[in-house]
């Protein structure tokens, strides 16, 4: 099953103003045993977003296992994102304070208090991609990773490690 196989589910979500609670119980997702955070960010929020589908539409969704992991800050320094969104992380990194200010206030407080994001981003093992590669790639959460890079550059408080959902084969 890939994103194209779920196109009718995505249409129903849009047309019916479907809530995430209804979406996550749809029979089309029964074989996916993904955490709710991943289902929400990957499929519910981005499953029909054109550039996202261009980059990840080929993935065999049922072959991905997601775990919440702690990733060292240094690993995010050069971590890429999908080809269709290339440059977005660095664009955000140029103005990290702005990108935090346009979010709800608790996001900024969390960065100040903890030096990290409020919600873990989604990273994908690049062996799952076509062409396959090594390392991790930012699947969803490009703004968060951009803020992290920008805060580092501006010498603002950044934790030494961060939580992220990591999808692996």
């Amino acid at each position: 099953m890939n994103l194209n196989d779920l196109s009718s589910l995505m249409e129903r979500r849009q047309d019916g103003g479907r809530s995430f609670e209804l979406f996550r119980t749809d029979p089309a997702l029964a074989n996916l045993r993904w955490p709710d955070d991943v289902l929400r960010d990957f499929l519910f929020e981005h499953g029909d977003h054109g550039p996202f589908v261009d980059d990840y539409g080929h993935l065999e969704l049922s072959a991905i296992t997601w775990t919440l992991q702690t990733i060292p800050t240094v690993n995010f320094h050069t971590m890429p994102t999908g080809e269709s969104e290339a440059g977005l992380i660095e664009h955000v990194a140029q103005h990290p304070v702005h990108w935090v200010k346009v979010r709800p206030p608790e996001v900024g407080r969390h960065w100040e208090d903890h030096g990290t994001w409020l919600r873990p981003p989604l990273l994908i093992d690049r062996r799952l991609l076509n062409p396959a590669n090594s390392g991790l790639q930012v699947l969803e959460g490009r703004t968060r990773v951009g803020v992290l890079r920008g805060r580092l550059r501006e010498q603002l408080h950044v934790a030494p490690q961060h939580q992220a959902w990591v999808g692996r084969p």
Side-chain angles (χ1 to χ4, degrees):
M1 168 184 13
N2 62 37
L3 289 175
N4 292 326
D5 296 331
L6 297 175
S7 60
S8 65
L9 173 60
M10 296 304 158
E11 288 172 16
R12 288 195 309 274
R13 184 207 76 215
Q14 288 177 347
D15 294 341
R18 224 168 184 201
S19 71
F20 176 70
E21 292 307 315
L22 284 175
F23 178 86
R24 68 188 278 281
T25 61
D26 193 286
L29 302 176
N31 290 333
L32 292 181
R33 303 209 186 283
W34 290 7
D36 279 353
D37 289 346
V38 176
L39 273 176
R40 182 181 301 106
D41 288 351
F42 191 128
L43 297 179
F44 187 72
E45 296 290 333
H46 293 91
D48 59 353
H49 178 64
F52 191 83
V53 174
D54 290 345
D55 290 341
Y56 306 109
H58 70 281
L59 292 176
E60 176 54 46
L61 302 178
S62 60
I64 304 172
T65 301
W66 294 94
T67 57
L68 189 60
Q69 297 182 4
T70 301
I71 310 290
T73 296
V74 69
N75 290 23
F76 290 98
H77 288 216
T78 58
M79 191 179 295
T81 190
E83 190 174 308
S84 65
E85 301 276 10
L88 183 58
I89 292 173
E90 281 309 312
H91 172 76
V92 170
Q94 292 173 7
H95 305 287
V97 173
H98 163 76
W99 289 100
V100 170
K101 281 185 178 180
V102 299
R103 299 292 188 262
E106 60 269 18
V107 171
R109 283 192 300 271
H110 201 80
W111 275 108
E112 292 304 316
D113 295 345
H114 303 285
T116 192
W117 35 69
L118 188 59
R119 290 181 40 240
L122 307 183
L123 311 178
I124 192 96
D125 186 317
R126 296 180 79 202
R127 292 177 296 169
L128 289 164
L129 303 177
N130 189 10
N133 210 327
S134 61
L136 297 174
Q137 178 166 309
V138 180
L139 181 90
E140 199 286 320
R142 293 169 299 273
T143 300
R144 284 168 266 180
V145 174
V147 166
L148 172 73
R149 288 184 191 173
R151 289 180 65 87
L152 283 168
R153 206 174 287 141
E154 294 184 10
Q155 299 181 349
L156 299 171
H157 175 50
V158 174
Q161 52 195 17
H162 310 272
Q163 294 282 290
W165 286 104
V166 179
R168 298 191 187 276

